[in-house]
Amino acid sequence: MSFSSMVKEELCKVAGKPCCQLAELAALLHGGASLQLARGEKRLIFRAESAVVARRAFTLLKGVFSLKPQLYAFQRGASGRKGYRVAAAGAGAELVLEATGLVKRKEGGLALSRRVPLSLLRRDCCKRAYLRGAFLAGGYLSDPEKAYHLEFTPGDEGYARSLCLFLIRRGVAAKEITRKETRLVYVKDSEQIVLLLSLMGAHAALLTMESVRVTKEVRNRVNRIVNCEQANIGKIMDAAQRQIAAIESIERNAAFQRLSPALRRMAEMRIEYPDLPLKELGELFSPPIGKSAVNHRLRKLEEIARDLNEEHGQE
Ligand SMILES: [Zn+2]
């Protein structure tokens, strides 16, 4: 199951207070409902891609308006994927749309509203319920392992603007964008997504998101350390190769026996342990010598090699 579906499943289990039910239903219907005229009768149709969301709309319609809706599954086009439809007929259908602020009466007819119905959302809990409904109807959240991206597909530009502003007023840094001629409202930052999940009441999703975020941070930190250590190992190897080249050049110039016993021992040890860091190399001496003494002796060997090369006209 996708991360998005898991969030929706969790949201459908949130037990909204009676005052919040209308708010959630309003957002759900705004995202997926239409009014149809069939055989002289008005029918409210709500479409959803998932069964849990369709059931949620069904329960709310029944609970809030005492309607007798019907829920059925159907095949969606050529894809063969299942879609779900909740239908309610009769005088109640129009009333639902009006009461949820989806349509407004204008000059005897009905006009579609393209705004978040703020008059229904006076309480903070109802504002949160509205966000929950909006996500259930047209929300998508990427798997946080892959990307931090949450979006709403509000359907039209006016509603997108209104929903975006509504989110911004709740402290969520939402933005708008047009993709493939569809106006989207999206949230990118992981902290902002976490805030929105908490407002909607998706606490399990929020915890998953936080744990993925921490794991990613640790992974990045470990990678940085490993890269840094590899760079250091590279440097140690470069220095050791330079030192060995110096010792070999001293041997070529038959100057090895002229080295002081301390330097000769150092040269032998470096040849024997070509890739040991200075500190460990010093510990193999008896008695052990410190890192700076090892460093000093190896520099001395390099200096001698340089002098010999200059003397003999070699590079
Ligand atoms: Zn409420």
Side-chain angles (χ1 to χ4, degrees), residues 255-289:
F256 198 77
Q257 294 309 317
R258 295 209 304 268
L259 295 175
S260 70
L263 285 183
R264 213 177 323 159
R265 182 84 191 110
M266 186 73 250
E268 283 163 358
M269 291 295 267
R270 185 32 113 200
I271 298 289
E272 198 172 341
Y273 302 100
D275 41 15
L276 217 55
L278 302 190
K279 189 169 173 285
E280 281 91 331
L281 199 58
E283 281 161 8
L284 293 178
F285 281 75
S286 54
I289 57 170

Side-chain angles (χ1 to χ4, degrees), residues 17 19-20 123-127 129:
K17 291 194 241 171
C19 67
C20 301
R123 293 184 182 182
D124 200 47
C125 56
C126 299
K127 291 185 176 96

Side-chain angles (χ1 to χ4, degrees), residues 100-163:
T100 51
L102 204 66
V103 294
K104 283 196 163 43
R105 221 161 259 291
K106 237 183 201 174
E107 293 151 15
L110 292 174
L112 191 66
S113 161
R114 301 187 195 284
R115 282 171 193 280
V116 172
L118 294 173
S119 59
L120 302 179
L121 313 175
R122 302 221 189 276
R123 293 184 182 182
D124 200 47
C125 56
C126 299
K127 291 185 176 96
R128 290 163 181 248
Y130 192 84
L131 290 176
R132 197 155 59 228
F135 186 81
L136 286 175
Y140 168 80
L141 177 56
S142 318
D143 181 347
E145 288 278 4
K146 293 177 188 138
Y148 297 128
H149 181 87
L150 186 150
E151 69 181 33
F152 295 92
T153 35
D156 72 77
E157 226 163 285
Y159 184 47
R161 187 86 276 262
S162 183
L163 186 62

Side-chain angles (χ1 to χ4, degrees), residues 17 21 28 59 93 120 135 190 246:
K17 291 194 241 171
Q21 290 182 345
L28 265 172
T59 311
L120 302 179
F135 186 81
S190 64

